Each structure stands twice: as structure tokens, then as C-alpha cells.
Amino acid sequence: MEKDMIVRAENVDFYYGSFQALTDVTMAFEKNRVTALIGPSGCGKSTLLRLLNRMNDLIDGARVEGEILFEGRNIYAPEVDPVEIRRRIGMVFQKPNPFPKSIFNNITFAPRLSGVHRKSDLEALVEESLRQAVLWDEVKDILDRSAMTLSGGQQQRLCIARALAMKPDIILMDEPTSALDPISTARIEELIDKLKQRYTIIIVTHNMQQAARVSEYTGFFYIGKLIEFGPTEKIFTNPSVKQTEDYITGRFG
Amino acid sequence: MNAAAPSTSLKWRYFRQGLFFGVVRLSAFLITATLLLILAYIFMNGFRAISWDFLTLPPTDAMTRGGIMPAIVGTLYLTVGAIAVALPLGVASAIYLTEYARQGLAIRILRIGVNCLAGVPSVVFGLFGLGLFVVFLKFGSSILAGALTLGILILPTIIGASEEALKAVPQTFREASLALGVSKWRTISRIVLPNALPGILTGSILGIGRAAGETAPIMFTAATFFTAALPRSVFDEVMALPYHIYVLATAGTQIDETRPLQYGTVLVLVALVLGIDLVAILIRSVMRKKKRW
Ligand SMILES: Nc1ncnc2c1ncn2[C@@H]1O[C@H](COP(=O)(O)OP(=O)(O)O)[C@@H](O)[C@H]1O
Ligand SMILES: [Mg+2]
């Protein structure tokens, strides 16, 4: 059976000015699955992730070569609007970054700007998003309170809810639990497991157990190159490349 | 090693530290004291001149009696006008410089230009305003010409303050908004700007004080020696407090007799500037309470 690949990177090179951060990366991400990107710090995981929703556009002097196909369309083609891409490919960052607004307004900020105005629609959207992010029960009585008063783990789930409210197809997560305590981390991992029924998730993590726990596919990067990519089970039990094995067994960091 | 050595060096260190703190404290005290002294001096000399009539009547008897109402009104118009010109323009320039422009040589030169503008003597602005607004654009000596001139004068202050305030908004807010598929302009107008506004106002307070207090820029562009009437349009000339002080103190026939009036006018000007500052500070603190990160 043919698998449904929602995003493909084809021979992608990426440069920060004259520094080449990614070299000839080719990989495909399956729909409604969790793909983990692992590798030592500085190997280009975040760079690749931010390429997928054109967040690297913000960096002066950055340049991409090759193609990134989202549902078959190159998102770097000149006629493509990056704003449109980012609506369909949401992102959750390493450090929780809620807006200094109320919990309610954090979630409704972007949907309002894309045309949802009726109060009942917005309220329904807030409840739905918070339920999906497993935060509803904790905050349903304090929706007017500033998001800044929440704990770190709650803030990160709020950021996930905020991304879900835009009803994206893909959610990119860049080390979403690295700033959180173990209990919050476990909750986010459970959440990821639930979300993959409806969303495609691509997650960067430096935590190998996390990759093994949450993902179906794992890609191992080293100095800007995709060294090995395949089913998570295979990568963690029977890697084909020596470098991958060395990394997952902790022989180098 | 004898035991006394470390303890004397410790003492010496404490002494040096005490000395340093003393000097710092003394400078802070001197600055505050100077300010209070000036304010007290103005108040002592000026408060006797202040009365209801002084605040609500025009000058009479060749400006040796009566009040300063037209000058108060004129200065208010000019200051508010200058802010209305400089704030939108300054904030827009700052947004361009920090959020849009690619940081390179051209932008560096532009920034240097803005800084130089801040150092240009105010009389030069006065002449510029005279040439451009009064003569070339035929606004005449008017509120419009004066407000525009003062606006340009305080523009660098507003741009500088706005740039600092915009840069202080965490980059993570911009990323969060853009990643949600919000356009750059809306990210700036809905997220960055509201969070920068308290800072922008703080910096602009300096500009407000300057706009209200400057004499040279309005001398040729807006201020008139005397008029009992209040302006009816932005093309009318006005009296202004700083210019009125200048006139009373240098150009009258009875400079010594009008001394109390001069101090009274100075007191009103200082109170006006402090009042405007106070309003800005209040607005800022209300906004700060709402935004916390
Ligand atoms: N904005 C940037 N400008 C220049 N170099 C960058 C920038 N961001 C990242 N890099 C460099 O690109 C490489 C890959 O970075 P990154 O993708 O953040 O790595 P990872 O997420 O795997 O730790 C690193 O060497 C890093 O120093
Ligand atoms: Mg990273």
C-alpha cells in the first residue's frame, strides 16, 4: 500500500550567509504520524523544522536550495504566500511563548484575524482547542486570566492549543519539553500521542527516550546531513549506520 | 604571612567601597537638590503672581498687568500639535528601521542622520520652519507652521525612544504570532506595537517637555508678541509661554516691574510641562499593568 506523504524535502541545502547548515537533505513525512528528528546540538534539526513552515524567511541572508513539497506543491515557489503556509503548518517552540494576553485571547488572537468573529464561534473554538490540548479542565474557570500566570507546562499546552485553534494539518515542535519538568513532559507526550490521529507531527528532540516513546519515524542528523531515516523501532534497535548506533547508545554527544 | 595583612586590605576595600558609594550618592543628591532648588526658586518668586485672573485673562496695559491666558492656550496647541505630528511619524520611522529595513550601510547612515538631527541647535529648526512652512508653503506664522517645526525638532527623540521600545519586545512574541499565520504587518500592529507603547511614551515624555519649552523654533514660525484673541484656526498666530517670557524679560519697557509676571509665567510653563509628563506617566502605568511578561 502506498503511504500518504504530506511533506517531502528534496535535496535541500540551507545556508546562513556563507555557512551551510543543511546538506542535501531528502526525506518524506507521513501523514498522521509522528516523525522525530534527533542528533547532537547544532546539527541542523531546528533549521530543517523552521524550513518546513518558512520561519527561516525572517533571517537576513538565509538561502535555501532544493524543494520542500507540501501536498505536492513547492512551498518556496515564488507565488506561494508564506502566511498561508504557516496557517496550515503550525509550530510549537522550545520555550513556551504565550502572548501577554488572557488565556482566551491567546487562543483567539490568530483565528480572529483570519475571519472568525462571532462570540459563540470563538468560545467554541477556545473550548475545543483547550480540550484537545488537555488543558480545559485546569483553566476553564480562569480564561480571563493572563497566560503569564500559568505554570511552564500549562503555558506549553496553551501554546499547543493556540496552534490547534488555527486547524493546521501539521504541527512542528522544536524540543517542546526541554524547558519542562518530568510530569509536564509526560503530559505533553501523552498529548502528542492523542494528536496524531488528526495531525501530522514533526518533533525535534534531544531526548532519545522521548523519540522512541512518541514517534513512528526517526531521522538522525549529524553536521547538517541526514545520516539515517526510518521506522523508529529500526533506528533504535538495529540501525544500519555506525554513526547512528554510536549516537543512540551515547557513545558521542 | 601575618594575620594583619588581609584584615587591613579588607578595611581598605571597605573604605574604597564606602568612598565610591559616597561619591555616587552625593552626585545623585546634588542633581536632585539642584532640581528642587530651581523649582523652589521659581515657586517662591512666581506664586504671588498666580491668580484666577492671571490664568484666564489676556495681558493688559502694555503687558504690565493682566494674565497670560492666550500664551497658555497657544503653548498647549503647539505642544499637542507637535506631538500629533511627531508621534505617528516617529513611531512609523522606528518601525521601519527596526522591523523592516535590512540592517546595512544605508540604515546605519540613516541612523547617524537621525542622531545628528537630535544635535542640531533649535534655532536652526526655527529658520528651517520659517523657510519651508511659513514662506515656501505659505502657511504664514501660524500654529500649523509652529507645530510642524516643533514636531521635526522632537522627531529624533521619539524615533530613538520608539526604536528602543520596539527592540525590547521579545523576539519570541514575533515568532509566536508569525508561526500562527499572522502577517508581518499585523504581528507588528497587534503584538509588537501594543507591547512597545509604554516604552514609546516614556521616551516621548522628554520630547513633550522640549516642545513646550523651546523658544527659538516658534519665534519665526508661530509665536506672536501679543494677541488678546484666541486662535480660530491652525493658520492663526498664537502667543506662547516661552516666547512670552522672553519678551517680558528682554523686550518690554518695564522689565523690572514685570518681574513677578515673568516668574509667574515660568511657573505656569513648568507646571504645564510637569502636568503633561504626569498624564503620560499615568497612561504608561495603566498600560504597564495590563502588559506583563
Ligand atoms: N540565525 C542563524 N544564523 C547563523 N547560523 C545559525 C543560525 N541559526 C543556527 N545557526 C547555525 O546552524 C547550525 C544548525 O543550527 P540548529 O538548526 O539550530 O541546530 P539544532 O537545532 O540541531 O541544535 C548551527 O551550527 C548553528 O550555529
Ligand atoms: Mg534546535
Side-chain angles (χ1 to χ4, degrees):
Chain A
M1 208 187 87
E2 187 69 6
K3 286 180 183 153
D4 186 359
M5 296 300 181
I6 189 166
V7 180
R8 290 170 187 279
E10 309 251 359
N11 309 105
V12 170
D13 293 323
F14 184 83
Y15 302 85
Y16 292 109
S18 57
F19 173 73
Q20 182 163 10
L22 291 174
T23 309
D24 198 24
V25 174
T26 297
M27 65 193 303
F29 301 90
E30 191 180 341
K31 197 170 170 171
N32 289 29
R33 294 288 182 275
V34 179
T35 303
L37 309 179
I38 62 170
S41 154
C43 68
K45 307 177 297 288
S46 300
T47 302
L48 178 66
L49 201 69
R50 294 165 62 93
L51 269 175
L52 299 180
N53 69 343
R54 295 198 55 172
M55 286 299 281
N56 282 338
D57 287 19
L58 314 177
I59 296 163
D60 273 349
R63 186 160 56 86
V64 58
E65 281 167 15
E67 290 190 333
I68 291 181
L69 303 168
F70 172 45
E71 295 176 337
R73 190 169 57 135
N74 181 11
I75 64 168
Y76 283 90
E79 72 276 8
V80 172
D81 178 5
V83 169
E84 195 52 47
I85 295 298
R86 292 184 200 130
R87 273 189 202 164
R88 302 201 45 204
I89 306 181
M91 189 163 210
V92 176
F93 296 83
Q94 185 164 352
K95 212 168 141 264
N97 57 357
F99 298 122
K101 299 171 180 287
S102 70
I103 294 170
F104 189 90
N105 287 336
N106 257 278
I107 294 180
T108 57
F109 168 67
R112 269 199 188 117
L113 292 177
S114 59
V116 185
H117 290 300
R118 209 184 310 144
K119 195 160 177 274
S120 58
D121 291 348
L122 289 169
E123 282 168 355
L125 187 63
V126 167
E127 177 166 353
E128 187 196 343
S129 312
L130 285 172
R131 278 191 191 282
Q132 283 188 62
V134 203
L135 188 59
W136 175 251
D137 290 333
E138 289 160 68
V139 302
K140 61 173 187 274
D141 299 322
I142 52 166
L143 293 175
D144 289 337
R145 204 186 282 173
S146 166
M148 299 313 201
T149 63
L150 297 175
S151 74
Q154 288 174 324
Q155 287 189 8
Q156 194 63 305
R157 275 178 286 147
L158 177 64
C159 292
I160 294 174
R162 182 175 68 182
L164 295 177
M166 286 305 281
K167 308 204 181 302
D169 299 304
I170 303 177
I171 302 169
L172 309 173
M173 301 184 168
D174 193 349
E175 303 193 20
T177 62
S178 67
L180 305 182
D181 60 86
I183 294 173
S184 304
T185 300
R187 302 195 70 157
I188 301 244
E189 287 181 11
E190 281 166 35
L191 176 57
I192 291 171
D193 212 48
K194 253 185 61 190
L195 291 175
K196 73 180 175 201
Q197 288 158 25
R198 294 171 60 174
Y199 305 93
T200 305
I201 294 172
I202 304 172
I203 180 172
V204 167
T205 176
H206 63 238
N207 176 338
M208 239 92 55
Q209 286 82 11
Q210 183 167 69
R213 278 193 300 263
V214 302
S215 70
E216 277 86 32
Y217 297 99
T218 297
F220 169 64
F221 286 79
Y222 189 61
I223 326 185
K225 290 196 177 109
L226 178 62
I227 304 296
E228 187 167 355
F229 181 42
T232 300
E233 261 220 36
K234 172 151 190 318
I235 299 281
F236 281 93
T237 55
N238 183 23
S240 341
V241 185
K242 176 89 172 48
Q243 268 168 314
T244 315
E245 188 180 342
D246 287 350
Y247 182 68
I248 59 175
T249 54
R251 239 166 282 159
F252 73 88
Chain B
M1 264 285 156
N2 63 9
S7 104
T8 48
S9 89
L10 197 64
K11 257 186 206 149
W12 169 235
R13 245 189 357 231
Y14 278 140
F15 173 73
R16 264 196 330 203
Q17 184 173 318
L19 193 71
F20 177 73
F21 281 144
V23 169
V24 172
R25 240 180 241 135
L26 190 69
S27 343
F29 171 77
L30 279 179
I31 290 167
T32 319
T34 314
L35 176 70
L36 289 179
L37 217 63
I38 293 173
L39 288 178
Y41 182 74
I42 292 170
F43 184 79
M44 296 308 283
N45 286 289
F47 84 100
R48 256 177 297 256
I50 307 288
S51 67
W52 185 247
D53 284 354
F54 186 68
L55 297 175
T56 56
L57 292 179
T60 51
D61 302 275
M63 300 213 273
T64 56
R65 276 168 222 286
I68 54 166
M69 197 265 285
I72 296 175
V73 172
T75 286
L76 267 180
Y77 280 151
L78 287 172
T79 310
V80 171
I83 294 164
V85 169
L87 204 56
L89 216 59
V91 172
S93 313
I95 288 176
Y96 172 71
L97 287 172
T98 54
E99 308 285 332
Y100 283 100
R102 281 191 88 165
Q103 308 302 317
L105 184 65
I107 292 304
R108 272 227 301 284
I109 292 173
L110 207 63
R111 279 223 175 79
I112 292 170
V114 170
N115 287 335
C116 285
L117 204 60
V120 172
S122 57
V123 67
V124 176
F125 284 94
L127 282 171
F128 174 77
L130 174 68
L132 180 63
F133 303 123
V134 178
V135 178
F136 182 74
L137 294 173
K138 301 199 172 61
F139 294 160
S141 178
S142 61
I143 296 177
L144 184 61
L148 286 167
T149 308
L150 286 173
I152 297 174
L153 174 84
I154 63 174
L155 203 50
T157 314
I158 309 244
I159 294 176
S162 306
E163 274 203 88
E164 287 311 312
L166 289 168
K167 280 191 212 142
V169 176
Q171 189 61 23
T172 57
F173 290 179
R174 294 181 181 81
E175 287 198 330
S177 173
L178 292 166
L180 287 165
V182 175
S183 68
K184 182 161 184 177
W185 165 242
R186 277 172 152 172
T187 295
I188 291 168
S189 62
R190 306 291 170 93
I191 298 286
V192 180
L193 207 49
N195 283 298
L197 222 45
I200 291 174
L201 282 184
T202 311
S204 304
I205 290 174
L206 289 170
I208 296 170
R210 191 145 182 233
E214 280 284 354
T215 312
I218 54 170
M219 216 144 112
F220 327 118
T221 58
T224 179
F225 190 73
F226 172 74
T227 169
L230 292 183
R232 266 155 319 191
S233 86
V234 291
F235 292 104
D236 284 348
E237 279 188 305
V238 284
M239 288 183 71
L241 291 169
Y243 186 58
H244 188 60
I245 293 163
Y246 168 76
V247 166
L248 285 186
T250 61
T253 42
Q254 286 133 320
I255 291 171
D256 283 329
E257 269 131 87
T258 60
R259 258 326 159 217
L261 291 186
Q262 293 164 29
Y263 279 114
T265 312
V266 169
L267 183 57
V268 170
L269 178 59
V270 169
L272 197 75
V273 171
L274 289 180
I276 296 174
D277 287 358
L278 206 64
V279 171
I281 290 169
L282 284 178
I283 295 174
R284 183 186 71 188
S285 68
V286 167
M287 283 196 300
R288 278 226 178 122
K289 266 204 201 98
K290 283 200 284 188
K291 319 267 176 215
R292 271 264 143 255
W293 66 76

